[in-house]
Amino acid sequence: MELFRILAVLSASLLTARAEETFTNSANLCTTCHCTQTEVFYLECQNREFKHTIANWPNHTTSLIASFSYNNMTHLEQLPDSDLAQKIILSHCGIETIATGAFEPVKNLLFLDLSYNRLTTEELPPETFKGPYNQSVYEPLALEDLNLAYNQIHSLPHNLFEHVAQLKQLNLEGNDFKVLDQSTQYALSSLAELEVLNLGNNELTELVGNAIRNLQKLRILDLSRNKIDFIPETLSLLNGSLEILYLDYNLIFEITDESFLGVQGIRILSLTNLPRLENINANSFKPLQSLSILYLSDNPLLTTIDRDSFAVNQSLEKLYIHNNSLVDLHYNLTNWSSLKLLNLKGNDLYCDCDLYKISQDLKPEIKVDKDGPICINPVNETSMMIYELTEETCTFKREKIFRLSHVIEHHFQTMKAIFVVVLLVAILMFFVAIVVAFLRWRKQRMNQNYPFVTRVSYNPIRGPNGI
C-alpha cells in the first residue's frame, strides 16, 4: 500500500511538471492579462509572449470572450474546460499545428478566430474540431463562425467539418486556393447551414458548382481579389438565398444581360477596381430585381453604362459610380429620385441636358454637398457643379467631343497593338534568317569536307574499233 502511494505521488508530480512545461501558468492570469467582468467576462491576453495555451480559465460565471492574439504559440495545445466560453481569438500567433481535440473542452464555443497563422492543409485533420466524447461518438461543437483567413491552406480535407456541421460563417480569405478541388468541394458542400462564405484574395479563376450546390442558405459570398474574368454562371445555384455578392479586384472585362441570370435576390452588388472593365451593356442588371445598393466605382477603363442597363421598374437606394472614366450618363438609366446616396465624383462627364435632369430629380439631402461632382462645359471647357446646373445646359451643343487625353489614350492603344504585331513579325523574320543562315553554313561545311577539289569527268576507254 505504501509503495502504491509513493508511485501515485510520483505520477502526480510528473503530471504537474508536464503541465507546467506544456501550459502557461494561469494562477494569476488576470495580473498578466486584462480581465473585465460585465455581462460578459473579457479575457485580453494579446501580445503577452505566451508560447503555450493557458492551463485554466480565470473564475467566471458569465459567458467568456478571450483573445490571445499576437503571441507565439507554434503548437496549440488543448484548451482548458469551460461550458461558458463563447468566443476565442487566436490570430497572429504563428500557429503551425493544433492538438487533436484542442477545442473539445469548450463544446459551446460559437466563434473561433485562427486567422493570420501558418496552418496548412496537412495540419487540418477533422479531429481538430471534434467535440467531447459521449459513449460511442464525439459530440459536435456548437461552432457557428470559423475564421481561417490568411493561412497557407490550398485545399480542405473532405471531412474537415464533420464535427461542426452547424457552421454559419466561414472565412477562407487570403489562402493559397488556386482551384476548388474535389476534396474542397466535398468539404464545403457538407455545410448545409452556411450563410456567409469568404473566398476572397486567393487565385481562383472560377467558382465550381459542386462547391456551392448544397449551400442553399448562403446569403453573403465574397469572391473579391481573385482572377475571375467572367461573372460565374454557377451563381444561379444560389438563386434562392444569395443577397450580397462581392466581385471586386477581379479580371472581369464584360458584363452582359446574361451575367446575373438566376440571382435576382441580390440586394448588394460590388464591382469595384476591375482593371479590364470597359462597358456595362444593355440589360446587365435587369435580372437583379431586388438590387438596392450598387458599388461600381474605381474602374479606370469604364467609359460607358448603357442607358438600358437597369429594368424600368428598378429603384436603387445607393449608387456608387465614382472614379471611373464615364463621359456621360443617360437620364433614363435609373429612377434617380429614389436614390438616397449618389457618388459621381472623379469622372470625365460633360455637362448636358441629361445631367441637368438628373440633378433636378435628386433628393435635396444628396445635393446639399457643395463639394459635389463636376462636369465640363463643352463650350468653353470650364468646370461646373453638376448639382448647380441650370436649364441653359440643355442648349449646349451635343456634338461628339474628343478630349486630348482620350485621343492620346486611343492612339496609345493603337500604337501598342501595332508595336506588338511588328515585334512578332520581326521575331519571326529573325528566326527565319537564323534558319536560312544555318542551312547555308551547313551546306558550305559539307562542300569544304568533300574529298575532291574539282569535278571529275569520266571518259570511257575505247577499243581499237571505237568500241
Side-chain angles (χ1 to χ4, degrees):
M1 181 64 69
E2 188 65 26
L3 180 61
F4 177 77
R5 288 179 180 176
I6 294 173
L7 290 174
V9 170
L10 288 174
S11 299
S13 300
L14 289 173
L15 289 173
T16 301
R18 182 177 179 274
E20 290 177 353
E21 291 177 359
T22 305
F23 298 102
T24 298
N25 191 329
S26 54
N28 298 304
L29 193 60
C30 287
T31 302
T32 306
C33 302
H34 182 68
C35 298
T36 305
Q37 176 68 68
T38 57
E39 294 180 357
V40 177
F41 187 89
Y42 293 94
L43 175 61
E44 300 176 52
C45 295
Q46 302 97 321
N47 199 19
R48 293 298 194 275
E49 299 183 0
F50 286 177
K51 295 183 179 180
H52 301 285
T53 308
I54 60 174
N56 293 292
W57 301 108
N59 291 330
H60 62 282
T61 56
T62 59
S63 57
L64 170 69
I65 297 177
S67 175
F68 299 96
S69 298
Y70 296 97
N71 283 289
N72 187 22
M73 304 178 186
T74 305
H75 176 70
L76 182 65
E77 297 90 0
Q78 191 177 65
L79 295 172
D81 288 333
S82 174
D83 289 336
L84 297 173
Q86 289 191 345
K87 295 184 179 181
I88 297 178
I89 302 168
L90 291 158
S91 61
H92 299 275
C93 286
I95 298 173
E96 298 178 1
T97 57
I98 300 176
T100 299
F103 310 103
E104 180 181 336
V106 285
K107 67 176 183 179
N108 293 321
L109 183 65
L110 299 176
F111 174 89
L112 177 61
D113 187 351
L114 290 167
S115 62
Y116 293 92
N117 284 296
R118 299 170 188 162
L119 295 171
T120 63
T121 300
E122 294 71 24
E123 297 299 334
L124 279 177
E127 292 79 13
T128 302
F129 303 111
K130 72 180 182 180
Y133 188 76
N134 185 6
Q135 295 181 352
S136 61
V137 295
Y138 286 100
E139 294 181 358
L141 289 178
L143 198 61
E144 294 182 353
D145 191 337
L146 176 60
N147 190 349
L148 292 171
Y150 295 94
N151 279 279
Q152 299 169 15
I153 306 167
H154 65 85
S155 175
L156 298 177
H158 72 279
N159 54 353
L160 177 62
F161 303 120
E162 66 177 348
H163 298 294
V164 287
Q166 299 302 309
L167 204 62
K168 293 182 179 180
Q169 299 190 47
L170 176 61
N171 191 345
L172 296 170
E173 181 180 353
N175 277 284
D176 297 331
F177 292 98
K178 292 181 173 60
V179 296
L180 300 180
D181 58 20
Q182 289 188 345
S183 179
T184 302
Q185 294 171 35
Y186 191 89
L188 291 175
S189 65
S190 68
L191 298 173
E193 301 297 318
L194 198 65
E195 297 179 4
V196 180
L197 176 59
N198 188 345
L199 289 168
N201 203 10
N202 284 283
E203 296 185 32
L204 298 175
T205 58
E206 61 177 341
L207 180 64
V208 182
N210 287 336
I212 60 171
R213 191 180 304 276
N214 294 335
L215 308 184
Q216 295 305 305
K217 294 185 179 181
L218 194 68
R219 298 183 301 104
I220 303 174
L221 177 60
D222 192 339
L223 294 171
S224 59
R225 297 179 185 273
N226 278 287
K227 296 182 178 180
I228 298 171
D229 54 5
F230 282 98
I231 307 295
E233 296 180 1
T234 51
L235 291 174
S236 60
L237 297 170
L238 304 172
N239 180 38
S241 61
L242 192 61
E243 298 178 8
I244 302 175
L245 176 62
Y246 299 98
L247 287 166
D248 313 307
Y249 292 94
N250 273 288
L251 301 177
I252 297 169
F253 62 87
E254 184 178 30
I255 299 178
T256 70
D257 56 350
E258 297 182 354
S259 295
F260 296 106
L261 288 177
V263 283
Q264 61 265 27
I266 291 180
R267 295 185 299 103
I268 301 175
L269 175 63
S270 190
L271 296 165
T272 69
N273 294 279
L274 305 178
R276 298 176 62 191
L277 183 64
E278 298 183 11
N279 301 294
I280 305 295
N281 296 314
N283 302 316
S284 291
F285 304 119
K286 185 176 181 179
L288 305 177
Q289 294 297 311
S290 300
L291 188 64
S292 61
I293 301 176
L294 175 61
Y295 296 91
L296 189 62
S297 64
D298 300 285
N299 301 306
L301 298 183
L302 181 58
T303 58
T304 305
I305 301 177
D306 192 278
R307 62 186 301 165
D308 296 319
S309 298
F310 299 94
V312 176
N313 58 343
Q314 276 179 292
S315 295
L316 297 174
E317 291 185 6
K318 298 180 181 180
L319 179 58
Y320 299 86
I321 49 176
H322 54 282
N323 297 335
N324 294 304
S325 296
L326 298 175
V327 176
D328 53 37
L329 280 176
H330 292 282
Y331 175 66
N332 295 329
L333 178 65
T334 187
N335 181 7
W336 301 100
S337 61
S338 70
L339 289 175
K340 297 179 181 178
L341 189 150
L342 173 64
N343 194 339
L344 286 172
K345 294 180 181 180
N347 282 290
D348 297 329
L349 294 166
Y350 273 108
C351 305
D352 59 14
C353 202
D354 282 285
L355 278 183
Y356 167 69
K357 291 179 181 178
I358 290 171
S359 68
Q360 294 300 298
D361 279 7
L362 294 174
K363 287 182 169 61
E365 53 265 33
I366 293 178
K367 297 189 289 184
V368 74
D369 181 10
K370 295 305 179 182
D371 188 29
I374 63 172
C375 59
I376 303 300
N377 185 329
V379 177
N380 54 24
E381 291 288 321
T382 59
S383 299
M384 301 179 65
M385 299 290 293
I386 291 177
Y387 298 155
E388 296 178 358
L389 294 177
T390 65
E391 194 172 1
E392 181 186 3
T393 311
C394 294
T395 64
F396 293 161
K397 292 182 180 181
R398 300 191 61 182
E399 56 187 309
K400 187 68 175 178
I401 300 175
F402 294 95
R403 293 189 186 176
L404 180 60
S405 60
H406 293 162
V407 173
I408 292 175
E409 181 179 354
H410 174 73
H411 282 291
F412 176 75
Q413 295 294 334
T414 303
M415 292 300 295
K416 185 168 69 172
I418 293 174
F419 175 76
V420 170
V421 172
V422 171
L423 182 62
L424 291 175
V425 172
I427 292 173
L428 180 62
M429 293 178 65
F430 176 75
F431 278 110
V432 170
I434 289 178
V435 171
V436 171
F438 174 75
L439 293 176
R440 289 180 175 177
W441 173 81
R442 185 178 179 184
K443 183 177 181 181
Q444 184 178 2
R445 287 292 302 271
M446 291 177 66
N447 290 337
Q448 291 176 350
N449 294 332
Y450 198 79
F452 301 100
V453 177
T454 58
R455 185 175 179 179
V456 179
S457 298
Y458 174 71
N459 293 320
I461 300 175
R462 297 177 179 270
N465 299 322
I467 302 175

